[in-house]
Amino acid sequence: MKNLINIPKMEGNSSRQAHADLPNGTFEREMSKEGFFGPSAHIYHRNPPTGWIDWDGPLRPRAFNLNKLSQNVDCPWNSVELLFNENCRIAMWRASKSMKHLVRNADGDQLLFIHSGTGELYSDFGRFEIIAGDYVLLPRGTMWRVQVKRPIDILLIESTNAGFSLPDKGIVGSHAFFDPAMLDTPLIDKKFLDQQTAAGATERWQLRIKRKNNISTVTYPYNPLDAVGWHGSLMPVKINVKEFRPLMSHRYHLPPSAHTTFVSERFVVCTFCPRPFEQDPGALKVPFFHNNDDYDEVLFYHAGDFFSRDNIDAGMLTFHPAGFTHGPHPKALNNMLKPKKAETDEYALMIDTRDALTVADLPNNIEDDSYLFSWLDQGEEIK
Ligand SMILES: [Fe+2]
């Protein structure tokens, strides 16, 4: 059992309630251990903690425009890897045509987030339709392929050498955020049976297995997605972000961890969905500045109007490693206590990793180099 030093103290001019009733003209910054769960401190600054004017060295906030990546990748194992560490690999797969082969991830559970497009996912367990906003969780070892209807962009998140589970929902109970009964599972239906090799016929099917991030190819004289049934408690599951019912409080800005969707051993995946802004006049309406001291943070912007960020569009990804403060852009800060609208209108994914991520070798044209100084842009208020 850890026995962390965890004694609440106060010094100088501060608020007694985090994220509310800040001393006049101050900016609150949270330092914390264990993500948002361990000992933490709120420091009330005279200036926004992101007001740097110069920066040197490899550590920095970064932004990437994934819309500029190639769209013609026929296999998820050829997709563009973005960030990785020992426990997590994040890649963007943009496919305009259906897969003519099968894949299997032997390195870990595979989470797909369908950013755009439509198609069908065929696996050992049957098939389901996939549309933008779907999360699909494929247990390690599942054999699968995607049939594309409309060109499809998929964020691939691998839980290397581990699995994904649902978060502990604590005092709000297991049905909050989404009821596990909302998870869809694959069907062995006519379409699935029809894609199987007919009796007596011969077809060549390749299975590309990823293990230790190397690919081995196994060939069958028939389609190995030939199940006629299954039973058990391990299977692919799917849910769309439009089904989520986010937690919120009208008097308190909940930390990002309230939006945790899937948990791995060394990272979490959270989803920010549209929700009403806080109503209490003293409550913060934008994310509080924080250091994320124990985690690297990745955000992928799926759809909507990203209320705390300026010049960020759908299909972009930002990376805020541990070591410096991040928080809202200046235009959003103008609305720190008085929002311009009743609700947020954004869908974004956050991947917070306990271990430092490495940025992969990426195509030159996808990074927005101006992002480092984007917090300096004092301008008009956001609508
Ligand atoms: Fe953060």
Side-chain angles (χ1 to χ4, degrees), residues 114-133:
I114 318 301
H115 170 53
S116 60
T118 55
E120 294 167 274
L121 190 139
Y122 289 81
S123 75
D124 290 296
F125 297 81
R127 67 172 274 282
F128 42 42
E129 309 275 333
I130 48 175
I131 61 169

Side-chain angles (χ1 to χ4, degrees), residues 36 256 290 292 297 326 350 352:
F36 298 100
H290 57 279
N292 245 52
E297 177 183 291
H326 57 261
M350 184 176 81
D352 268 17

Side-chain angles (χ1 to χ4, degrees), residues 345-364:
D345 167 31
E346 66 171 11
Y347 287 97
L349 272 67
M350 184 176 81
I351 303 157
D352 268 17
T353 66
R354 188 60 195 248
D355 306 289
L357 286 161
T358 299
V359 178
D361 289 332
L362 293 169
N364 289 332

